[in-house]
Amino acid sequence: MSETSVISPARGGELAREAGRRRTFAIISHPDAGKTTLTETLLLAGGAIRAAGQVRARGENRRTRSDWMKIERERGISVSSSVMTFERDGLLFNLLDTPGHEDFSEDTYRTLTAADAAIMVLDAAKGIEPQTLKLFEVCRLRDIPIVTFINKMDREAQDPFELLDEIGGKLALDPAPLFWPAGSGNRFKGMLDLQGEQFLPFKRGEDGLDAEPVSTRGNSIAMHLDEAELAEVEEGAELVREASKPFDLQSFREGHMTPVFFGSALRKFGVEQLLAGIGSYAPPPEPVEAVKADAPIIVEPGDREVTGFVFKVQANMDPAHRDRIAFVKLCSGRFARGMKLKVQNTGRQLSVHNPMMFFASERELAEEAFAGDVIGIPNHGVLRVGDSLSESGALRYAGLPNFAPEILRRVRVKDPLKAKHLKRALEGLAEEGVTQLFRPVMGSSDFIVGAVGPLQFEVMADRLTEEYGLEVVFESAPYAEARWVSGDRAAVEDFAGKHRTAMAEDIDGAPVFLAKSAWEIGYVGERYPEVTFGKTKERG
Ligand code: G4P
């Protein structure tokens, strides 16, 4: 039980019940595996949109409205994240969109800190691809339960046993298929429900959301499968039942097992079943560890105090307002519009008069929200990624880590008169988490920016031009690595004093060592054993 749960039973009951019907999840996949198509079909299945094409259309609209997303359009990749909410069978689903491109893996990591489960989409012909693996590793860092959807069964697929082996071998995750496909490509006929005696027929040209299961006993199945096909799918089902571990809810929730669904996002086949699976098995928001008055506590979703953390900040969603939206995952309480919340690390108070909830079609004002929900809070730089928010302002969740960048560049503005503007713009982008910013403590007034992948620099240059009217050039920096320096204070000061030309401060003023090579980090690490050279830094 947590210390904050001084609540009347009726209240706690309602809060816990509301939290218990939330399912907050993200989709991870390699580009082209079908994430966008699946998102759209899930929203259709959830009744959030009426006609296919809206996710893309909405995307296009958004893109033409905000120019910096030109990159998205030109490269056909999704850079920005959003949240979509829909309700079905008494459950409330919050679908978090994550960028598919690996250069934005840090952004994805942050979004996944707000997800209580993830769907891993695999292309049935390709299995596990490099980006699937990378994103999976990010999920594993937090033991997020993963549901697997093997997509594009309407096309020629790999042998499903091979696909399961790949999941087991490459991800060290026990695959537990809940369905078994009958053929693939032109021979795809549907799938057997391994938990019941039912077969879901696939009919080419028909909307898969309308598919009605038929009993495997009796004659009706013969309308969908000939004898040889029936024998083949039954034999496969038999084999897979023997070869794989049965689905175990606890093992799934601990991140060791993944239930496997098959289908076709494009033909909308198997998606109802996937959604039902998320509803039944994916966890509602769980208790979260935090610190209050220097003591560790566990915050329960049913606790009365409204608490949450900022996992993403996004600018320019609405060009009419130059505001930023901070996406907050609520961890407890009942949030009501107009409520006052405090930021733990700065003590600043916000009156949240115009929170947003993100229903699939448009932004709407949220009147109330519960643990598991994501609300968008427009603000002018008060909220930053990793901030903890609560009514008391006394509660702190573990900060979101910054990762040491893999590429460092010196950035210069072409018009020297605009140097001051550049500083503000770079700080703004760093606060949003687009790129990281390092200010050398000595000498030049140059800024060093860091990124995980080169596309981040393109997004940055584009936004500096479009939003701030600044033309910049990136030059190679004489540094290859950045490390956060911490540890014994005297030792850190001694190190920093002797390496002043290589020292910088990050956006929070934390000391950073800029090294010329990975070798140099090993070298100084040996000479200064009391100093830690961190590859990650937690804010908050
Ligand atoms: P992504 O977001 O993961 O990058 O993938 P996206 O949904 O954009 O899908 C990539 C391509 O795969 C699209 O084709 C899409 O239509 C196709 N696709 C997705 N799911 C299925 C499926 O279940 N079966 C089949 N056969 N194809 C599927 P495209 O030609 O690149 O784009 P488009 O012109 O169709 O939009």
Side-chain angles (χ1 to χ4, degrees), residues 29-38 56 151-155 263-267:
S29 71
H30 190 87
D32 261 3
K35 190 173 72 174
T36 312
T37 314
L38 180 63
R56 232 170 257 274
N151 189 29
K152 305 196 188 183
M153 289 305 296
D154 59 317
R155 286 207 190 147
S264 163
L266 189 65
R267 307 285 164 220

Side-chain angles (χ1 to χ4, degrees), residues 28 30 103 138 154 176 282 342 366 470 482 528 534:
I28 58 167
H30 190 87
D103 284 6
V138 169
D154 59 317
K342 267 194 194 157
L470 295 172
Y528 293 86

Side-chain angles (χ1 to χ4, degrees), residues 103 106 404-408 434-436 449-454 456-457:
D103 284 6
E106 193 162 352
E406 285 169 25
I407 311 169
L408 293 165
V434 175
T435 39
Q436 298 190 43
V449 286
V452 175
Q456 277 175 274
F457 289 114

Side-chain angles (χ1 to χ4, degrees), residues 140-215:
R140 176 144 281 175
L141 282 175
R142 295 194 50 244
D143 289 333
I144 298 176
I146 293 181
V147 174
T148 302
F149 183 70
I150 299 186
N151 189 29
K152 305 196 188 183
M153 289 305 296
D154 59 317
R155 286 207 190 147
E156 223 40 63
Q158 283 182 32
D159 178 343
F161 283 103
E162 275 174 30
L163 288 164
L164 297 185
D165 277 352
E166 225 185 322
I167 295 170
K170 287 195 179 163
L171 309 183
L173 199 57
D174 289 330
L178 300 184
F179 290 85
W180 195 247
S184 70
N186 287 333
R187 291 181 52 249
F188 184 52
K189 292 294 169 69
M191 54 194 192
L192 272 184
D193 181 345
L194 294 178
Q195 292 177 316
E197 295 181 327
Q198 291 194 316
F199 180 77
L200 192 72
F202 172 73
K203 294 183 195 149
R204 208 155 281 280
E206 284 186 22
D207 189 331
L209 294 181
D210 297 333
E212 288 281 343
V214 296
S215 168

Side-chain angles (χ1 to χ4, degrees), residues 316-377:
N316 207 20
M317 285 176 76
D318 182 352
H321 302 101
R322 284 210 148 240
D323 56 2
R324 292 192 202 156
I325 310 281
F327 291 83
V328 176
K329 164 90 182 283
L330 293 176
C331 301
S332 63
R334 171 183 172 272
F335 167 84
R337 193 153 85 86
M339 188 168 240
K340 289 189 175 65
L341 292 177
K342 267 194 194 157
V343 188
Q344 184 269 335
N345 52 345
T346 59
R348 290 176 79 171
Q349 182 162 291
L350 282 163
S351 288
V352 192
H353 290 300
N354 47 356
M356 312 280 177
M357 278 185 98
F358 300 83
F359 292 98
S361 46
E362 58 208 62
R363 293 202 261 169
E364 288 175 29
L365 281 181
E367 290 302 331
E368 61 172 17
F370 296 87
D373 284 336
V374 171
I375 55 171
I377 304 183

Side-chain angles (χ1 to χ4, degrees), residues 1-6 286-301 303-307 331-332 390 392-398:
M1 273 278 92
S2 87
E3 289 176 21
T4 51
S5 48
V6 200
E286 287 179 288
V288 190
E289 289 174 14
V291 172
K292 194 172 186 178
D294 285 334
I297 60 162
I298 301 286
V299 179
E300 302 276 343
D303 284 352
R304 178 131 96 180
E305 181 177 6
V306 173
T307 70
C331 301
S332 63
S390 60
S392 65
L395 192 126
R396 175 161 59 87
Y397 288 106

Side-chain angles (χ1 to χ4, degrees), residues 254-523:
E254 287 171 358
H256 306 307
M257 175 174 272
T258 179
V260 179
F261 293 81
F262 293 85
S264 163
L266 189 65
R267 307 285 164 220
K268 307 185 185 65
F269 183 82
V271 178
E272 289 264 9
Q273 289 65 30
L274 173 68
L275 189 55
I278 303 267
S280 309
Y281 308 129
E286 287 179 288
V288 190
E289 289 174 14
V291 172
K292 194 172 186 178
D294 285 334
I297 60 162
I298 301 286
V299 179
E300 302 276 343
D303 284 352
R304 178 131 96 180
E305 181 177 6
V306 173
T307 70
F309 63 90
V310 179
F311 65 93
K312 185 176 172 65
V313 172
Q314 191 164 314
N316 207 20
M317 285 176 76
D318 182 352
H321 302 101
R322 284 210 148 240
D323 56 2
R324 292 192 202 156
I325 310 281
F327 291 83
V328 176
K329 164 90 182 283
L330 293 176
C331 301
S332 63
R334 171 183 172 272
F335 167 84
R337 193 153 85 86
M339 188 168 240
K340 289 189 175 65
L341 292 177
K342 267 194 194 157
V343 188
Q344 184 269 335
N345 52 345
T346 59
R348 290 176 79 171
Q349 182 162 291
L350 282 163
S351 288
V352 192
H353 290 300
N354 47 356
M356 312 280 177
M357 278 185 98
F358 300 83
F359 292 98
S361 46
E362 58 208 62
R363 293 202 261 169
E364 288 175 29
L365 281 181
E367 290 302 331
E368 61 172 17
F370 296 87
D373 284 336
V374 171
I375 55 171
I377 304 183
N379 71 101
H380 295 285
V382 175
L383 292 177
R384 293 173 52 182
V385 168
D387 281 349
S388 300
L389 280 172
S390 60
E391 288 172 274
S392 65
L395 192 126
R396 175 161 59 87
Y397 288 106
L400 300 189
N402 279 120
F403 295 95
E406 285 169 25
I407 311 169
L408 293 165
R409 292 270 182 279
R410 202 197 298 262
V411 57
R412 214 165 38 77
V413 64
K414 281 189 183 161
D415 177 353
L417 293 176
K418 292 191 170 164
K420 259 215 178 108
H421 297 257
L422 178 67
K423 177 172 182 283
R424 221 171 312 132
L426 291 177
E427 284 172 353
L429 294 181
E431 281 171 9
E432 260 184 68
V434 175
T435 39
Q436 298 190 43
L437 180 64
F438 304 105
R439 234 176 331 226
V441 294
M442 290 258 300
S444 76
S445 55
D446 283 348
F447 290 100
I448 306 289
V449 286
V452 175
L455 264 181
Q456 277 175 274
F457 289 114
E458 288 187 39
V459 170
M460 185 178 186
D462 224 51
R463 289 192 53 185
L464 287 171
T465 315
E466 301 286 334
E467 292 171 36
Y468 298 91
L470 295 172
E471 283 211 49
V472 296
V473 279
F474 294 106
E475 295 168 347
S476 63
Y479 314 109
E481 306 275 345
R483 291 290 183 276
W484 283 277
V485 178
S486 61
D488 175 75
R489 207 171 144 177
V492 169
E493 276 175 14
D494 177 37
F495 173 80
K498 291 198 175 114
H499 295 82
R500 282 182 72 77
T501 53
M503 291 303 293
E505 285 183 352
D506 74 2
I507 181 86
D508 302 312
V512 175
F513 174 57
L514 298 172
K516 293 190 180 63
S517 63
W519 177 86
E520 193 182 3
I521 293 168
Y523 178 74

